[in-house]
Amino acid sequence: CLEAYCSATGVARTARELLAKTERIPGFKYEVKTGRYGLLNTVINRIEELQTLGEAAFREKRPDVGEAFYGLAKEYREKLAAENLLAYDEMVPAAIRLLQEHEEILWVYQMAYQYVMVDEFQDISADQAELLYLLAGERKNLVAVGDDYQCIYRWRGACPNYMLDFPKR
């Protein structure tokens, strides 16, 4: 938890520093600086959206964002990499890579968590599903609770099919 907190605060600090030295970016509300819909969170979310969609799809979806944003996003990613920080959308894929590349670490977690339970299973992404199945391992002691009619995180990659396919896995 502490590492995730430090990464989150480092990510916010990095974004804040870069925003301070970047010209005003069209399409962003500079009046509200903090909070869920504040400038900082909006910029970080847009950078994560750019990363997820790819530049061409992002430009099509958000034509109002000026070129300064793309420079900011590039510098943001470079600075995070240089400081060994993970943005929110990178944490689960990084955990998967760690567990796949280091079987001994995967084994430790599989032994530590003999049972894995997840609630709101309809809202998991492909990466989150992969992480859960890795942790459950050969025991397959995975309990999932959810409602396929209540999937609300499609924008983040959630798909109720992971829940509907659960009995097959």
Side-chain angles (χ1 to χ4, degrees):
C1 278
L2 181 58
E3 288 178 19
Y5 172 76
C6 291
S7 185
T9 57
V11 166
R13 176 186 38 80
T14 300
R16 209 174 5 261
E17 288 171 2
L18 292 174
L19 269 170
K21 67 178 197 168
T22 303
E23 64 185 70
R24 276 180 90 86
I25 302 170
F28 290 93
K29 297 177 183 170
Y30 280 77
E31 305 78 48
V32 181
K33 301 285 185 206
T34 59
R36 185 175 180 187
Y37 300 107
L39 178 63
L40 188 61
N41 277 341
T42 303
V43 167
I44 291 171
N45 289 337
R46 290 289 183 279
I47 291 172
E48 290 175 3
E49 184 180 12
L50 169 63
Q51 183 81 11
T52 302
L53 295 176
E55 188 171 333
F58 182 84
R59 282 182 183 273
E60 188 175 317
K61 183 177 179 181
R62 306 243 182 234
D64 60 323
V65 175
E67 289 303 311
F69 172 78
Y70 295 98
L72 172 77
K74 183 178 185 289
E75 196 173 348
Y76 171 80
R77 289 289 177 191
E78 289 170 355
K79 193 161 180 163
L80 290 187
E83 294 181 21
N84 253 350
L85 296 171
L86 291 174
Y88 178 77
D89 63 331
E90 298 170 320
M91 290 181 184
V92 173
I96 291 170
R97 279 193 310 278
L98 173 73
L99 297 176
Q100 288 175 335
E101 293 171 7
H102 301 279
E103 290 181 18
E104 65 282 3
I105 296 173
L106 174 59
W107 182 83
V108 167
Y109 281 99
Q110 287 174 339
M111 293 302 106
Y113 301 102
Q114 294 181 29
Y115 301 93
V116 178
M117 188 213 159
V118 61
D119 192 12
E120 304 296 345
F121 199 72
Q122 76 276 0
D123 286 326
I124 66 169
S125 66
D127 284 343
Q128 292 167 327
E130 180 63 26
L131 182 58
L132 290 168
Y133 288 119
L134 274 171
L135 291 173
E138 295 300 315
R139 288 191 183 120
K140 298 184 179 181
N141 289 335
L142 177 60
V143 176
V145 178
D147 180 350
D148 58 327
Y149 289 107
Q150 293 187 16
C151 184
I152 60 172
Y153 290 103
R154 291 181 201 273
W155 56 271
R156 199 190 66 199
C159 178
N161 291 343
Y162 303 120
M163 186 176 76
L164 298 172
D165 292 340
F166 179 76
K168 297 175 196 163
R169 292 283 310 252

